[in-house]
Amino acid sequence: MSGQRAFVAVEVADKCRSRLEKLLPGLGREVKSRMTWTRPENWHLTLKFLGQLEPDRITAAKDALKGVPFEPFTIRPGGGGVFPGMKKPNVLWVGLNAGGPECAALARGINEQLSPLGFPEGRPFLPHLTLGRVKLEKGDDWRKLLKELRKVEWPSFTVRRFCLFRSTLRSNGPLYTELAAYGPGARG
């Protein structure tokens, strides 16, 4: 398949990435399942996955995203969960203790701007930050792990922009490249 994998996301502040970097070794020791952990430098909150796009679709998406209403807001990660459920989890994630409704409103605005271009709305939006993907489940006590995860204190940060990213899949993990940024904190 040609084209570029693309998604729209909010970048996570460095102070949260540092917290993740300190948390991962402990999680890695606690979890028996084979996992692919999120690299701190790649940590982001996905607002919409666009899939494989040809250059003209990327250009159209870039232009459409300029129309998304956006005001800065504060996020504070917290809690956690697994997708799709405890019996056979595929993804371990951290939720939001603050900023969830604002993220959901931003995701709705993105959908509204992109749907006329033929981008489907997809699954209902649940703001989350992926910690890791379960590659081979080995009977972990996910409830206990989530209870511990809820005790983690995450710093809050202000979201001043959202971005369109390209995702290049590589053997040592994906490489994310910013294609465009939107909002008062966008470089431009």
Side-chain angles (χ1 to χ4, degrees), residues 122-143:
R123 290 179 244 169
F125 179 74
L126 175 65
H128 69 280
L129 299 152
T130 299
L131 289 174
R133 298 187 183 283
V134 181
K135 296 302 177 188
L136 180 63
E137 210 286 326
K138 293 187 177 181
D140 283 291
D141 185 345
W142 296 103
R143 281 181 173 64

Side-chain angles (χ1 to χ4, degrees), residues 9-11 13 45-47 68-77 96-108 110 125 127 156-163 182-185:
V10 167
E11 295 172 294
L45 193 153
T46 301
L47 298 165
V68 175
F70 178 80
E71 291 291 327
F73 61 95
T74 298
I75 280 181
R76 187 165 52 82
L96 296 182
N97 283 339
E102 293 87 348
C103 281
L106 181 54
R108 271 192 308 279
I110 289 165
F125 179 74
S156 61
F157 64 95
T158 301
V159 176
R160 300 189 190 285
R161 64 190 211 136
F162 67 97
C163 303
Y182 307 88

Side-chain angles (χ1 to χ4, degrees), residues 76-99:
R76 187 165 52 82
V82 293
F83 292 138
M86 293 289 187
K87 289 190 192 294
K88 191 166 175 19
N90 294 327
V91 175
L92 174 64
W93 52 268
V94 172
L96 296 182
N97 283 339

Side-chain angles (χ1 to χ4, degrees), residues 42-88:
N42 279 352
W43 215 25
H44 63 275
L45 193 153
T46 301
L47 298 165
K48 184 161 185 70
F49 180 71
L50 303 180
Q52 290 284 135
L53 302 182
E54 295 301 325
D56 61 327
R57 297 271 287 157
I58 287 177
T59 300
K62 276 185 192 179
D63 291 342
L65 290 170
K66 292 175 186 172
V68 175
F70 178 80
E71 291 291 327
F73 61 95
T74 298
I75 280 181
R76 187 165 52 82
V82 293
F83 292 138
M86 293 289 187
K87 289 190 192 294
K88 191 166 175 19

Side-chain angles (χ1 to χ4, degrees), residues 136-152:
L136 180 63
E137 210 286 326
K138 293 187 177 181
D140 283 291
D141 185 345
W142 296 103
R143 281 181 173 64
K144 179 182 174 206
L145 181 68
L146 293 177
K147 189 176 177 182
E148 292 302 311
L149 197 53
R150 287 185 194 103
K151 295 177 186 175
V152 175

